[in-house]
Amino acid sequence: MTAFNTVRFRVKPGRDQDFLDAHRNISWPGLARACMIKTGDQTYCIIGEWPDMETMANARPNMIATLNSFRDTLEDLGNGLGVTDAIAGPDVLAPK
């Protein structure tokens, strides 16, 4: 069953290009597709599509390595989240 993960970020002022450049050539094993969306001033969300939850879980070390490469571009999101707000789960409905 297809799975998706989303991660929300807030980028430090003036660091948007560095943040985006860090994602241009992501290479996570099993990743079917990824999209970065701009959700506001200095805020972004990446959405990844995976063949299944296990493949996504197995790619976590690669995703964390990518995060570590641009962690200095991020602001803390507050409320104990740190610099990312990540969620994931299986596809349960695809209306279109």
Side-chain angles (χ1 to χ4, degrees), residues 11 16 20 35-46:
V11 179
D16 293 72
L20 293 171
C35 296
M36 179 71 69
I37 59 173
K38 185 170 176 84
T39 58
D41 289 338
Q42 298 169 243
T43 59
Y44 296 86
C45 184
I46 190 167

Side-chain angles (χ1 to χ4, degrees), residues 6-7 13 15 28 37 39 42 56-57 60 65 68 75 80 85 89:
T6 64
V7 183
R15 300 298 305 272
W28 301 331
I37 59 173
T39 58
Q42 298 169 243
M56 182 186 61
R60 279 194 186 117
N68 288 337
E75 290 187 346
D85 182 13

Side-chain angles (χ1 to χ4, degrees), residues 24-70:
R24 290 203 189 282
N25 297 309
I26 55 174
S27 179
W28 301 331
L31 179 67
R33 181 173 179 232
C35 296
M36 179 71 69
I37 59 173
K38 185 170 176 84
T39 58
D41 289 338
Q42 298 169 243
T43 59
Y44 296 86
C45 184
I46 190 167
I47 302 169
E49 181 179 355
W50 304 86
D52 51 55
M53 290 294 292
E54 182 179 2
T55 301
M56 182 186 61
N58 290 340
R60 279 194 186 117
N62 300 83
M63 290 186 276
I64 292 168
T66 301
L67 171 62
N68 288 337
S69 77
F70 66 86

